[in-house]
Amino acid sequence: MSGADIREFSRPMTGPALVPLIDAIEAGEKPVVAAIEGMALGGGLELALGCHYRIAHSKAQLGLPEVTLGLIPAAGGTQRLPRLIGFPAALDMIITGRRVSAGDALKLGIVDQVTERNAGEVAVAFARSVVDCPLVSRRLSTWPPLCPADLDNILQMALARAWQRGRGALAPVACVQAVQAARLPYSQGMQQEQKLMSMLFASPQARALQYCFFSQRAVGKWSMPNGACWDNSTARPIRKAAVIGLGTMGRGIAVCLVLAGIPVIAMETDEKQLEAARRVVMALLEKEVQKLAVGLHLGLIHFTLEQRYLREVDLVIEAVFEDLALKKQLFAELSSVCHPDTLLCTNTSQLDVDQLATATSRPDLVVGMHFFAPANKIKLLEVVFTSRSSPEAVATAMQLGKWLGKVSVAVANCPGFVGNRMLRPYVEQAGFLLEEGATPEQVDSALEHFGLAMGVFRMSDLSGLDVGWRVRKAAGLTGPGVPQGQLLQTQQGYRYSPLADLICQKGRLGQKTGCGWYLYEGPGGHMARPDPWVHAFLEEYRRVHGLQPRSIGQQEVLERCLFALINEGFRVLEDRIVMDPVALDVIYVLGYGWPAHTGGPMYYAGEVGLPRVLGRLEYYQRVHPDIPHLRPSALLRQLVAKGSPPIHKWMWHIEEGSSRL
Ligand code: NAI
């Protein structure tokens, strides 16, 4: 039982209500034993907490995930759980919404017994053994709260954690407030729980989070412009896979495959790289084995330098350097080494997958599988199909992503695919804001205050500034041979900020070199500190180029960066790179740290109001006519002209022939 039917939230609720039902079970004179198999989540766990005893199967999972939907557990969960397991453990489960295994539930004291056998049968036997025991002490609502001496301190720290984790989300904070009320007599605590729930239930944040929940499921129903879709395409089984290139990404991808139980051939170019990768991968796997407390066959992974092992694999994921010539050569080699039916996938983040496909003997079996760093943690996978990818290849990559525990989103091939394509105008605006007078920390703090996991400059320092530098060089925007314009730089006819290139030229590549847009404790450090050198560098740059710095407010930072990103999102829709705007929201929430409680960039645009987004873009475009990314997209204009329809109707308004596919 995984709690409420969320679809019911948008309709008038029908009875019977859960709270009186649970109270009646608890108050009853017959002992009630909850037999838990599978999931006991949300209302499911709250019901179990109202029973007098709980028996769980060893594979069962328990949790109160309401916070992830912008809500709190409101059928007594916030009042009974702290009474049962204490405030600190209850706060942790309720604020994070995390699930615990049956074994952990036993340790915490949530269940009375764990069994490997049929939980129902064990529960019946258990009931016989306790049938004569008095029930008085089994009714959790009558238990006095377990208040440790430092409870105030515990609650204060939980509140601070809720603010920090929530990045502006209300529900984690309300969770702490509700649990805090478990200090009061049960009936008063319940009143407080209901009050907080009513406030959240009607909130835009809860609606946005529920939209996220449904969106992440909706993207599984993928489709392609040629009519192929999830419903009419069959995935192939992947019995063995290979990962080629075991750098940052390849290592994480190999870990994902092994954790999913898929045998892996892991390949590198030389012994030294292979050894380094082996150490990291095995350490990551051993950590997972300890964490999950499950048996994992570490022999599933075979490290090698020899291509002959690739003959036996069903699918290859290539993660070598981001270099088109290198990748094309590798794909040509794979065509002759691998079985003709082997799927060839690339983890490229920017390169043209169509071009890679043409380098192979089987363009129909080539797709992009774009993972996000760290690949063993981030739940997103962009599956990039080309004009020649077969439905079967797409279905297989989508299915494999799911098997690896990712949310897979099918996207058509275009420069940067979806996520990185939308990111470009956003990063670009941030650079322009520095030229105009902002500092990296001003821009970042506005974005982080909005709820992004990391501001643009901290994110760039983390990824490495050389990544974008290489892309700009490849695009001919910087590097030898490109005229270094003067003053406000212009490249290829448009405004271009060379600030990031200048920073890279100084050897400041981000965290890895100990400095970038910020200063770190040393190479590989994580603590970003504002850097006086960067401030002086920006002042000098503005002086040399005759730029008068102005004070830039938080609102301008948000509008310039976020609306430019959203505007590109509308262009992605016009080009039919995806079939539905929910895909863009899923990609941003899961892959780019966009705050889930705003729904994602496109949903957020709808909430702000499309006329407002359009109006602000028009305003900024008048002020900066040399920035094409601020020019409102045709689709945005069209939608506003049609009275701003809701997000699920946007695709109806795309003009025929607008797609560049
Ligand atoms: P990396 O530089 O950390 O690793 C590349 C690895 O490939 C190196 O260990 C190198 O020895 C190996 N290699 C090079 N040529 C090879 C060959 N012919 N055969 C076998 N191994 C070979 O690079 P990283 O960051 O892991 O990126 C790999 C790919 O993933 C690139 O296409 C990149 O654009 C993409 N990507 C990177 C992300 C990131 O955040 N780093 C995110 C998503 C995609």
Side-chain angles (χ1 to χ4, degrees), residues 435 477 482-492 494-499 502 541-547 626:
E435 292 188 334
L477 290 166
V482 175
Q484 297 298 304
Q486 315 97 20
L487 307 184
L488 259 193
Q489 301 266 340
T490 301
Q491 295 290 9
Q492 301 175 356
Y494 299 114
R495 180 169 165 190
Y496 175 79
S497 169
L499 279 171
L502 294 171
Y541 174 90
R542 294 184 201 115
R543 194 189 60 74
V544 168
H545 295 295
L547 296 166
D626 51 352

Side-chain angles (χ1 to χ4, degrees), residues 142-215:
T142 65
W143 288 19
L146 293 168
C147 294
D150 59 345
L151 183 57
D152 283 334
N153 198 20
I154 291 170
L155 289 165
Q156 217 150 40
M157 277 167 47
L159 205 55
R161 184 175 169 213
W163 276 118
Q164 193 201 5
R165 274 181 63 98
R167 298 187 264 127
L170 299 173
V173 175
C175 285
V176 180
Q177 291 168 335
V179 172
Q180 183 167 10
R183 288 171 130 177
L184 305 170
Y186 176 74
S187 60
Q188 287 179 34
M190 283 302 284
Q191 278 174 14
Q192 185 67 5
E193 188 187 87
Q194 293 307 314
K195 213 165 103 190
L196 287 162
M197 179 61 161
S198 309
M199 182 268 290
L200 290 175
F201 198 74
S203 70
Q205 288 197 1
R207 272 204 312 277
L209 283 157
Q210 287 152 27
Y211 162 84
C212 285
F213 177 88
F214 287 120
S215 304

Side-chain angles (χ1 to χ4, degrees), residues 54-59 102-103 105-106 111-116:
R54 285 158 291 280
I55 309 289
H57 186 269
S58 59
K59 295 222 168 86
L106 184 66
V111 298
D112 302 287
Q113 197 176 313
V114 174
T115 178
E116 296 284 339

